Amino acid sequence: MKYTSYKPMNCSLAQTLAVIGDRWTLLILRDIFFGQKRFAQLQRNLGIAKNILAARLKQLMEEGIVEKRESESGAHAEYVLTPAGLELQPVLLAMTHWGDKHRPNPKGERVTFIERETGKPIRRMGVVSEDGRPLRAREVRAIPGPGAD
Amino acid sequence: MKYTSYKPMNCSLAQTLAVIGDRWTLLILRDIFFGQKRFAQLQRNLGIAKNILAARLKQLMEEGIVEKRESESGAHAEYVLTPAGLELQPVLLAMTHWGDKHRPNPKGERVTFIERETGKPIRRMGVVSEDGRPLRAREVRAIPGPGAD
DNA sequence: CAGTATCCTACGTGATACTG
DNA sequence: CAGTATCACGTAGGATACTG
């Protein structure tokens, strides 16, 4: 009768969904990845209700994805990604790449990710073999590990 | 007053969420990636209500992620991934990797992805520069493209 | 500015019964 | 087996007013 929770599932994907699977969470993280730090900025950019944003940020803090701190001037609060949060970048980028390819804007790419130092676009997110060859979906197989049921 | 829809957002990430952002969708896709093909299998493995599963599969077909076909014997229906669906694999794998690392099962890795031909584990999903160097989140920058607002 | 506190409602979900 | 139909429910989401 209650909504099924992701938490008790012994599945790495479900565990990730327990953290970022809510409707707004990934969009909030996107904005934080893009440099937004403040509550009001996030709220305006996203058009999200304040109570929802507050709840999601609280949840992200409890999950260790985001940290709250004072700004340098001490004038306001800032939300920044923790190391665990930063490691969500491959997830965000893989989803962004897929959307840009399969649900494109007719005017072209909406966003390009470049390497900060060289200015060159990064490589498209993809599955890669141990020695660096790109693999297609069918060339990959999943086998249960010690933590499987 | 209505739930905010992802569709009108000019954002590649939001577009992807419009396709796979529902609570059950990614878990269904996971099972299909893992080789499940039939309605009853999916329903039992996931513990999902039949009407929900039917609705999600229908949606996935409309979005061009999954196709329905007859089994070879003709005895039952099968759901298989389209090319666009197969290209979601990086998303699934990135999420699985994150969950396995940051929400681990104490007994060890829940699943390992190996290259079918060599049997060797694939490389961990990560952001990579044009010439193949792994990049950390902070070394990547997003710049607006022609499809940006 | 950065939230809480309330209240309301629509929607996603879940259970079950039924059908070709 | 592979769904459809119906109904009942909880909760996520939304709007708004208020607070330190």
Side-chain angles (χ1 to χ4, degrees):
Chain A
M1 204 74 147
K2 273 180 79 175
Y3 279 21
T4 347
S5 159
Y6 295 123
K7 285 258 170 67
M9 302 180 186
N10 184 32
C11 163
S12 304
L13 178 59
Q15 292 305 310
T16 303
L17 283 173
V19 177
I20 60 167
D22 282 303
R23 286 181 71 75
W24 279 108
T25 306
L26 275 169
L27 295 180
I28 294 169
L29 286 176
R30 174 201 64 185
D31 274 23
I32 298 180
F33 265 107
F34 284 180
Q36 307 298 329
K37 294 185 166 75
R38 293 165 57 172
F39 190 92
Q41 287 179 323
L42 292 167
Q43 202 233 320
R44 268 198 335 149
N45 291 353
L46 292 164
I48 185 179
K50 304 174 87 171
N51 53 347
I52 311 287
L53 177 56
R56 290 292 160 270
L57 286 171
K58 186 182 169 202
Q59 185 183 325
L60 285 170
M61 289 189 291
E62 285 166 1
E63 295 282 9
I65 308 300
V66 157
E67 257 174 12
K68 189 179 180 173
R69 66 174 190 204
E70 292 294 305
S71 71
E72 309 231 339
S73 64
H76 54 259
E78 283 184 355
Y79 295 94
V80 292
L81 293 159
T82 64
L86 287 169
E87 290 200 34
L88 283 168
Q89 194 176 47
V91 176
L92 284 263
L93 291 201
M95 294 182 67
T96 305
H97 279 160
W98 192 93
D100 220 39
K101 176 170 180 185
H102 295 279
R103 298 293 182 276
N105 181 313
K107 284 190 280 185
E109 212 177 19
R110 285 176 272 243
V111 61
T112 310
F113 297 100
I114 62 172
E115 188 183 354
R116 192 178 290 278
E117 202 168 335
T118 67
K120 288 186 185 168
I122 64 166
R123 192 176 285 184
R124 187 176 182 74
M125 293 296 300
V127 183
V128 169
S129 74
E130 197 185 37
D131 55 340
R133 283 169 293 112
L135 296 175
R136 273 168 306 156
R138 282 292 155 67
E139 301 177 304
V140 177
R141 216 161 67 86
I143 57 173
D149 292 322
Chain B
M1 204 73 149
K2 273 180 78 173
Y3 278 23
T4 352
S5 159
Y6 294 123
K7 286 258 171 63
M9 302 181 186
N10 184 33
C11 164
S12 305
L13 178 60
Q15 293 304 311
T16 303
L17 283 173
V19 177
I20 60 167
D22 283 303
R23 285 181 73 76
W24 279 108
T25 305
L26 275 168
L27 296 180
I28 295 169
L29 287 175
R30 173 201 64 184
D31 274 23
I32 298 180
F33 264 107
F34 283 180
Q36 307 298 328
K37 293 185 167 74
R38 293 165 57 172
F39 190 92
Q41 287 181 323
L42 293 167
Q43 203 233 318
R44 268 197 337 148
N45 291 353
L46 292 165
I48 184 179
K50 305 175 85 172
N51 53 347
I52 310 287
L53 178 57
R56 290 291 160 270
L57 286 171
K58 185 182 170 202
Q59 186 184 325
L60 285 169
M61 290 189 290
E62 286 166 0
E63 296 281 9
I65 307 301
V66 158
E67 257 173 11
K68 189 180 182 173
R69 66 174 190 207
E70 292 296 306
S71 71
E72 309 232 341
S73 65
H76 54 261
E78 285 184 353
Y79 295 94
V80 291
L81 293 159
T82 64
L86 287 169
E87 290 200 34
L88 283 168
Q89 194 177 46
V91 175
L92 284 265
L93 291 201
M95 292 182 68
T96 305
H97 280 159
W98 192 93
D100 219 41
K101 175 169 181 186
H102 295 279
R103 298 293 183 275
N105 181 311
K107 284 190 281 185
E109 212 177 17
R110 285 175 273 242
V111 60
T112 310
F113 298 99
I114 62 172
E115 188 183 354
R116 192 179 291 276
E117 201 168 338
T118 66
K120 288 184 183 168
I122 63 166
R123 192 176 284 183
R124 187 178 181 72
M125 292 297 300
V127 182
V128 169
S129 73
E130 196 184 37
D131 56 338
R133 284 169 292 111
L135 296 175
R136 273 168 305 155
R138 282 293 155 66
E139 301 177 303
V140 177
R141 215 160 67 87
I143 58 172
D149 294 322

